Amino acid sequence: MSAAAIERVHEVPALRARIAAWRAGGLRVGFVPTMGNLHAGHLALVDLARRHADRVVASVFVNPTQFGPGEDYARYPRTLDADATALAARGCDLLYAPTLEAMYPGGSAGTVEVRVPALDDVLCGASRPGHFRGVATVVAKLLNQVQPDVAVFGEKDWQQLLVVRALVRGLDLPVEIVPGPTVREPDGLAMSSRNQYLSPDERRRARAIHDALVRVAGAVRSGGDPLAAERAGASALESAGFTVDYVAVRSADDLGPPVRGRPRIVLIAARLGATRLIDNLLIDQ
Ligand code: PAF
């Protein structure tokens, strides 16, 4: 094994053996779950996990159960060798890339499902039915397989972060969930593996999402009506060529209606051509 290589495991027993050895040495384990095609946003999560743990495991698994019919499961970029190289360079200790069979023995229809009903049919859950059930199920399985002390999830997927926190509470999983700040391109576009689907022209227009977030957050922060701010944000996005799924001002901790005095957030999901992008910004920092 060269100095730059990272150990890879593909099955649960090999994963457990490696982690048991660390634990026997009294080491604290951090975990970064991903679907691969790693970019600077993911690698910042590895750095964050490292700050909370002695050893870091990253998983790469394109989870079929969180994609709906007609979504991009088949064409989702799979770049395992490049991911392994990037993880090794970042000092990640173990790459867990389970096979479909290791994750879903007997098929991805699965015999067990995990749901967080309070959060899974609003916003992205409304436009992607079943998505958060797939996320909650695979994250519960991954946390159970790795059994980390700490797991890191990006704030860009804010609703996912809340779903994960709720499932950890609901299932009494002994893991600390640490949120990772969104990493942005210089023009404000949140890093995402899906950005590479954008044509050069779409990429130029994609900054409108962050611009809209900043404007909506600013308007609400300075006392403006959240509904009016949402409408203005949506119309700015439409002018930039987006089909808007939602521009929503919500309570940050439960996605309920915004309440002054509690942390609020603005969330956007919008489509440019065939590419669906999401992003969010906390209003009350
Ligand atoms: O955020 C992601 O990449 C995925 O939803 C996750 C958490 C790895 C589950 O498949």
Side-chain angles (χ1 to χ4, degrees):
M1 196 180 277
S2 83
I6 185 171
E7 182 180 354
R8 299 186 198 190
V9 291
H10 303 280
E11 309 285 341
V12 178
L15 171 74
R16 290 232 162 108
R18 163 56 62 217
I19 288 172
W22 289 340
R23 290 221 178 279
L27 299 176
R28 203 174 140 78
V29 178
F31 178 42
V32 183
T34 81
M35 296 205 302
N37 194 239
L38 304 181
H39 50 65
H42 295 112
L43 298 174
L45 299 180
V46 172
D47 294 345
L48 187 56
R50 162 74 61 213
R51 292 207 287 279
H52 289 262
D54 305 301
R55 293 288 182 273
V56 177
V57 185
S59 65
V60 170
F61 179 66
V62 185
N63 172 37
T65 67
Q66 68 188 77
F67 290 80
E71 291 189 354
D72 54 343
Y73 175 67
R75 71 178 177 130
Y76 197 87
R78 288 157 171 85
T79 54
L80 191 61
D81 287 339
D83 293 343
T85 304
L87 288 168
R90 212 60 169 228
C92 184
D93 300 287
L94 183 65
L95 167 56
Y96 174 46
T99 59
L100 199 54
E101 178 58 23
M103 189 57 78
Y104 295 112
S108 65
T111 53
V112 172
E113 280 183 345
V114 178
R115 272 198 66 197
V116 179
L119 288 165
D120 75 1
D121 61 359
V122 297
L123 300 178
C124 283
S127 33
R128 303 185 68 191
H131 169 68
F132 288 112
R133 196 167 53 222
V135 169
T137 301
V138 82
V139 169
K141 289 171 70 68
L142 285 165
L143 291 176
N144 205 31
Q145 291 168 346
V146 177
Q147 300 190 3
D149 297 285
V150 56
V152 177
F153 289 81
E155 289 181 346
K156 184 180 88 73
D157 299 299
W158 188 265
Q159 189 170 0
Q160 167 172 287
L161 176 63
L162 295 186
V163 165
V164 168
R165 284 195 153 136
L167 88 83
V168 163
R169 264 196 318 272
L171 296 176
D172 305 303
L173 300 181
V175 58
E176 181 192 350
I177 301 300
V178 172
T182 302
V183 178
R184 300 182 180 283
E185 302 284 359
D187 68 350
L189 179 66
M191 290 203 178
S192 163
S193 300
R194 291 190 167 104
N195 292 350
Q196 65 195 265
Y197 298 156
L198 300 170
S199 69
D201 175 54
E202 289 169 340
R203 174 63 192 84
R204 271 190 297 279
R205 286 184 282 135
R207 65 171 301 156
I209 293 191
H210 185 245
D211 293 348
L213 287 170
V214 170
R215 270 204 303 275
V216 174
V220 174
R221 198 179 298 121
S222 54
D225 171 33
L227 271 180
E230 288 175 2
R231 268 191 233 110
S235 97
L237 285 170
E238 279 157 12
S239 305
F242 281 86
T243 304
V244 177
D245 186 350
Y246 59 79
V247 176
V249 176
R250 298 290 171 96
S251 279
D253 54 1
D254 63 4
L255 302 181
V259 179
R260 237 186 235 268
R262 278 175 56 193
R264 295 166 297 177
I265 189 168
V266 49
L267 307 105
I268 288 179
R271 221 173 281 274
L272 252 189
T275 308
R276 186 174 185 277
L277 299 175
I278 62 171
D279 199 355
N280 64 76
L281 201 61
L282 284 165
I283 295 171
D284 314 288
Q285 286 286 1

